Amino acid sequence: MKRDCSSGSQKRSAFGAGRIVLASLASHGFPSGYQDSRVKRFLSKNGLVILGFTFILSLIALLAVGLTQNKNTPENFKFGIVFDAGSSHTTMYIYKWSAEKVNDTGLVYEIEACKVKGPGISAFASNVQDIPVYLSKCMGRAKELIPKYKHHQTPVYLGATAGMRLLRMENEQSAKRILASVTSFLNSYPFNFRDARIISGSEEGAYGWITINYLLGKLQKKQNSEDPSSRKNESQETYGALDLGGASTQITFVPKDTNISSPIKFMQFRLYGWNYTVYTYSFLCYGQDQALLLKLAKDTVETPSGTLLDPCFHPGYERMVDISDLFNNVCTREYKDLFPFDKLRIQGTGDFLQCQERLHNLFPTTYCRYTSCTFNGVFMPPVHGEFGAFSAYYYTMKFLNLTSDKVTSEDMVIEKMKQYCSRPWKEVNTTYADVKEKYLSEYCFSGTYVLTLLQVYNFTDYWKHIHFMHKINDNAEAGWTLGYMLNLTNMIPAELPQPKPFSRPTYISLMVAFSLVLAIVFILGSIIFHKSSYFQK
Ligand SMILES: Nc1nc2c(ncn2[C@@H]2O[C@H](COP(=O)(O)OP(=O)(O)O)[C@@H](O)[C@H]2O)c(=O)[nH]1
Ligand SMILES: [Ca+2]
């Protein structure tokens, strides 16, 4: 396209250049002379309108694209199923999360906790054929709650804890048969079955620690890189985890001094860009059910009579126990002896202090080869920070009305236990007629057990740092299952995900503002252009 360079200065403004284009369009595309001035007038008046019109149109198109592209598509959800196969029970948990947030700090929600009717899976050693019926009700529930088109991508895990650890020690083949039956049954569903296995005590402790800190928001904290010293303080913010089951109990926490020489390898985690050095220990046979058997076995050996006056049960309470059940157990086998009776009659006397004395015998603390120990000579650094206590810790202390943070000292717990244990069984049984007898008859024992266990962990002057918890933030239960799933589905990134430059609302308002600025600049430009060509004539 030839440029008209017969007149005018060398230096031209942008508008001047624009004018050149228009003029040359006139001089080439149209008849010269008379038409020349009319065409100019037509162009300068209508050309402007056409340009402005197309510009506004493209602006609307831009906004329309921006908005539709960012309009809220229905969130895409994902699901996960985890079975907690405990020594006394099995519970199926269903978790749900938004797929967009999978790697971010977005939360995973517990949408179902289906209690399987019956005992723990280790009780099916001689009737594995009954496992499908045992698990089918909760699996049916999962099929109902999870949309059909999501079934194939929903992972299913079963983790078995101390009950199956004890069975495996006793009869490995039985444990394998049970897991094989569970695997083939769960595999028959349209979900994405991943694994059914016995998790270790360390895993159980570590995943419980991850669960409560994830739900308490202690892991997804914002990185405060300006003040590296704050990193140290912040990382101490995590809660320790205290889990009391029926056959084992776990304690997990970040010690104050992680350089302490330790015979037990600390666990190292890198979560959301932070390093954690975590102590965890699982005491097999020190879950509350096994601890009761341990106590009864020791008592029977010490006073080999068919009747046991037991201060850990209410006055007037009676229970018959088969000697074979009492000693046919991995945890009590060491006390096995021959007795001139095959049944033990327990008669409650309801004396907390005597009960506490009996229970302290379960925790030898006389020898320790390390800088610091808990019982049985097990190394444990001094407890540090706040602690969440869940599962049987919670069930017991909740019933005894001792979970409030107003219960700030051990003495308050002792006073309550003295009074509660001394209540006659008849009165207790009538007052709490709706409570399962198995649980109700043992609250004096389990309350005293919780107190004694926390004493041997050296919580005596530290009671106010223990927080008994069940559901956290009204979302998910405290326990190992959520942490287990988060880990296996890689939902806790090692590094803190980079924050998006803009949130969606900021992004859209920036788009609109930018387009408006463009429009104003264009309109102003055209007015100036229009004025200058006007003055030219
Ligand atoms: N009081 C009470 N105890 C419960 C309840 N549910 C479970 N438990 C007890 O809590 C403990 C749970 O242990 P479990 O997880 O099965 O055993 P683990 O394999 O050693 O972790 C057992 O002693 C159960 O009897 C409840 O609703 N109330
Ligand atoms: Ca458990």
Side-chain angles (χ1 to χ4, degrees):
M1 180 181 297
K2 194 162 129 310
R3 284 175 59 180
D4 168 9
C5 43
S6 52
S7 61
S9 69
Q10 294 307 318
K11 202 169 161 305
R12 286 187 173 79
S13 74
F15 295 114
R19 203 171 62 239
I20 289 170
V21 171
L22 272 178
S24 57
L25 187 67
S27 60
H28 280 72
F30 298 89
S32 61
Y34 162 70
Q35 278 89 333
D36 201 11
S37 57
R38 277 202 57 184
V39 163
K40 254 200 209 166
R41 260 203 312 286
F42 172 81
L43 261 183
S44 64
K45 223 169 38 234
N46 298 302
L48 206 66
V49 169
I50 295 164
L51 271 176
F53 191 61
T54 29
F55 187 83
I56 299 292
L57 255 187
S58 51
L59 180 68
I60 292 165
L62 179 73
L63 284 180
V65 163
L67 290 172
T68 35
Q69 196 245 332
N70 285 287
K71 82 176 181 334
N72 263 331
T73 45
E75 272 201 271
N76 172 19
F77 285 109
K78 291 194 166 187
F79 299 85
I81 300 171
V82 186
F83 280 88
D84 171 2
S87 64
S88 71
H89 81 296
T90 297
T91 302
M92 179 195 78
Y93 295 95
I94 303 179
Y95 297 106
K96 174 180 179 182
W97 61 94
S98 158
E100 283 77 57
K101 297 192 178 93
V102 70
N103 211 358
D104 200 334
T105 55
L107 257 191
V108 173
Y109 296 91
E110 177 189 306
I111 59 169
E112 175 74 3
C114 179
K115 284 192 182 309
V116 175
K117 213 164 158 357
I121 60 168
S122 48
F124 287 83
S126 48
N127 55 323
V128 289
Q129 70 283 0
D130 296 340
I131 285 178
V133 171
Y134 171 73
L135 294 175
S136 54
K137 186 170 156 288
C138 285
M139 283 307 277
R141 189 86 183 107
K143 282 178 79 173
E144 280 166 26
L145 288 173
I146 300 172
K148 201 166 167 32
Y149 73 100
K150 292 277 182 186
H151 285 180
H152 70 284
Q153 58 181 258
T154 299
V156 178
Y157 303 95
L158 179 134
T161 53
M164 284 294 279
R165 285 178 216 135
L166 293 174
L167 177 64
R168 181 174 54 187
M169 288 164 69
E170 188 144 16
N171 183 334
E172 190 166 3
Q173 286 314 310
S174 286
K176 281 185 176 162
R177 269 199 303 278
I178 289 173
L179 290 176
S181 167
V182 165
T183 298
S184 71
F185 178 69
L186 295 180
N187 242 329
S188 68
Y189 279 76
F191 299 109
N192 175 11
F193 173 72
R194 291 287 183 79
D195 200 356
R197 57 184 277 267
I198 300 171
I199 65 170
S200 68
S202 307
E203 287 181 281
E204 189 175 8
Y207 292 126
W209 180 86
I210 288 180
T211 296
I212 66 167
N213 284 293
Y214 175 83
L215 291 171
L216 290 169
K218 298 297 177 187
L219 302 179
Q220 308 93 318
K221 51 184 168 285
K222 296 290 158 270
Q223 198 138 7
N224 179 0
S225 51
E226 295 81 55
D227 170 16
S229 65
S230 77
R231 299 170 69 83
K232 176 99 181 80
N233 305 333
E234 288 244 331
S235 68
Q236 292 311 315
E237 259 185 18
T238 53
Y239 269 50
L242 291 162
D243 180 357
L244 177 61
S248 76
T249 186
Q250 287 69 238
I251 178 168
T252 310
F253 63 97
V254 174
K256 189 181 178 90
D257 173 8
T258 49
N259 300 318
I260 187 172
S261 67
S262 156
I264 301 167
K265 207 165 160 1
F266 286 157
M267 297 190 114
Q268 302 294 337
F269 295 128
R270 183 158 179 81
L271 308 167
Y272 291 104
W274 294 75
N275 291 319
Y276 296 94
T277 301
V278 180
Y279 167 89
T280 188
Y281 199 89
S282 178
F283 295 91
L284 191 57
C285 297
Y286 282 85
Q288 62 177 14
D289 300 334
Q290 290 297 331
L292 176 56
L293 294 177
L294 275 175
K295 183 196 89 66
L296 293 173
K298 278 176 75 83
D299 291 348
T300 309
V301 167
E302 280 158 26
T303 40
S305 115
T307 301
L308 174 69
L309 297 179
D310 195 325
C312 298
F313 290 93
H314 295 279
Y317 177 77
E318 282 214 0
R319 181 188 288 189
M320 294 304 288
V321 176
D322 282 347
I323 289 297
S324 59
D325 291 346
L326 188 50
F327 291 97
N328 244 352
N329 166 321
V330 173
C331 295
T332 55
R333 186 156 300 142
E334 65 174 293
Y335 301 109
K336 189 163 183 149
D337 205 342
L338 289 175
F339 298 99
F341 47 86
D342 56 6
K343 282 190 181 299
L344 178 71
R345 177 191 296 278
I346 297 170
Q347 284 180 339
T349 59
D351 183 318
F352 161 76
L353 292 175
Q354 285 179 14
C355 175
Q356 192 177 34
E357 199 184 315
R358 305 293 315 144
L359 290 182
H360 266 293
N361 292 339
L362 302 181
F363 300 99
T365 51
T366 44
Y367 62 96
C368 175
R369 290 180 298 140
Y370 310 108
T371 47
S372 104
C373 293
T374 175
F375 61 96
N376 287 349
V378 171
F379 166 77
M380 189 176 91
V383 289
H384 179 73
E386 301 302 311
F387 281 78
F390 47 90
S391 190
Y393 280 117
Y394 177 81
Y395 302 134
T396 300
M397 301 307 263
K398 182 71 182 162
F399 173 82
L400 295 165
N401 212 2
L402 291 168
T403 52
S404 153
D405 278 348
K406 292 195 191 77
V407 180
T408 52
S409 77
E410 188 187 272
D411 291 343
M412 294 166 78
V413 177
I414 289 171
E415 279 320 301
K416 169 75 187 205
M417 289 314 298
K418 276 182 190 166
Q419 177 265 335
Y420 178 72
C421 286
S422 64
R423 288 173 67 178
W425 169 243
K426 232 193 189 85
E427 179 217 318
V428 169
N429 204 11
T430 324
T431 313
Y432 305 100
D434 55 335
V435 176
K436 218 168 136 184
E437 180 166 328
K438 143 80 182 155
Y439 298 146
L440 184 61
S441 63
E442 292 178 8
Y443 280 131
C444 169
F445 163 76
S446 47
T448 311
Y449 184 69
V450 163
L451 190 69
T452 312
L453 183 59
L454 292 172
Q455 283 172 337
V456 290
Y457 284 157
N458 292 326
F459 275 101
T460 296
D461 303 325
Y462 211 64
W463 195 269
K464 63 178 184 303
H465 297 284
I466 303 169
H467 309 276
F468 295 96
M469 50 178 71
H470 183 54
K471 265 198 179 258
I472 299 180
N473 294 336
D474 209 16
N475 170 12
E477 278 184 33
W480 60 269
T481 50
L482 177 56
Y484 188 63
M485 189 196 75
L486 290 173
N487 180 53
L488 290 175
T489 51
N490 300 315
M491 278 206 276
I492 298 196
E495 302 310 326
L496 194 65
Q498 288 314 311
K500 291 196 186 74
F502 303 116
S503 67
R504 183 178 286 137
T506 320
Y507 163 70
I508 293 175
S509 27
L510 277 175
M511 281 262 293
V512 172
F514 180 66
S515 321
L516 288 177
V517 164
L518 256 184
I520 294 164
V521 164
F522 178 82
I523 293 166
L524 280 179
S526 334
I527 295 168
I528 296 164
F529 164 71
H530 187 69
K531 285 268 170 288
S532 65
S533 59
Y534 180 80
F535 289 118
Q536 288 293 324
K537 277 194 232 80

